Amino acid sequence: MTISQTDFDTKNSVSIASTIADARRTAGYSLEDLAIACGLTVQELEVIETGADLDPSRLQRVAAALKLRSLTI
């Protein structure tokens, strides 16, 4: 699975956030499980899954933990 974003508009932010949330659920991870796997806090992941945080380094950590092929902002 590839997640990419070329514009920083709200629609794309929500799309990335939804994709991450869907990938997490598909992997069978709770927010707590993913937090442990990627080294972020549950609160940081919640903000990512709402689309409010698209920090590339955090998104790369989440992508690696979810075994996503690539993540491009």
Side-chain angles (χ1 to χ4, degrees):
M1 178 184 306
T2 300
I3 304 172
S4 63
Q5 178 180 353
T6 56
D7 300 313
F8 286 91
D9 63 30
T10 305
K11 182 179 177 185
N12 285 337
S13 298
V14 172
S15 177
I16 285 178
S18 297
T19 301
I20 289 171
D22 291 344
R24 175 181 59 79
R25 286 188 288 274
T26 298
Y29 284 173
S30 67
L31 283 169
E32 292 80 9
D33 295 332
L34 184 55
I36 291 167
C38 70
L40 297 174
T41 67
V42 169
Q43 292 78 17
E44 288 171 317
L45 292 172
E46 288 172 337
V47 174
I48 289 169
E49 287 191 2
T50 65
D53 182 0
L54 296 177
D55 179 85
S57 65
R58 287 190 188 113
L59 294 176
Q60 288 296 340
R61 291 168 71 174
V62 172
L66 292 172
K67 297 183 175 87
L68 300 174
R69 263 189 318 160
S70 67
L71 183 65
T72 305
I73 302 300

